[in-house]
Amino acid sequence: MLGGSVYIAFIRFAISLAGVILLFSVMSESRYSRKKTIACYGIFGIVVILLTCIWYVADWKSCVRIAAFAMYMCFSVVSIFISSDSVYLCVYKLALVFIFWQFS
């Protein structure tokens, strides 16, 4: 599980979120231009990682339990709006990304 300083947690959160974003971006077509998509995912990633780090400092026990799940759910909502695929296909691709990311 997570442990150590908030800097270590920040690195773990950033690597995890960046990997999921990259993997999903390879599988899915965006409805926006590449520049706007990168900006949206970048802003989203920074905000989510900062909020998760604040949560980590404020309440370590609950953050360790559900931070990754909460980050993934937030990413799922954002990616459904950014993806040009239908909702069902987007959810299917998100499930594949989640399974691949958990077992790699």
Side-chain angles (χ1 to χ4, degrees):
M1 282 298 187
L2 292 175
S5 70
V6 71
Y7 302 114
I8 301 299
F10 176 81
I11 292 169
R12 290 177 60 115
F13 295 146
I15 290 172
S16 177
L17 189 62
V20 170
I21 288 173
L22 288 173
L23 189 58
F24 183 77
S25 296
V26 168
M27 291 176 56
S28 182
E29 290 260 344
S30 176
R31 71 175 63 188
Y32 305 113
S33 66
R34 181 178 299 272
K35 188 182 275 188
K36 189 172 182 179
T37 302
I38 291 171
C40 289
Y41 280 137
I43 292 168
F44 166 76
I46 290 169
V47 169
V48 166
I49 290 171
L50 288 177
L51 290 175
T52 309
C53 285
I54 291 169
W55 182 15
Y56 184 82
V57 170
D59 188 14
W60 182 80
K61 281 190 174 186
S62 68
C63 183
V64 167
R65 288 184 183 156
I66 59 173
F69 181 72
M71 286 172 54
Y72 187 75
M73 287 297 112
C74 292
F75 170 72
S76 298
V77 170
V78 169
S79 64
I80 287 172
F81 287 113
I82 291 178
S83 177
S84 65
D85 299 328
S86 68
V87 174
Y88 300 111
L89 184 58
C90 190
V91 169
Y92 177 74
K93 289 178 181 179
L94 285 166
L96 286 176
V97 167
F98 180 71
I99 289 170
F100 180 75
W101 193 250
Q102 290 300 315
F103 294 114
S104 64

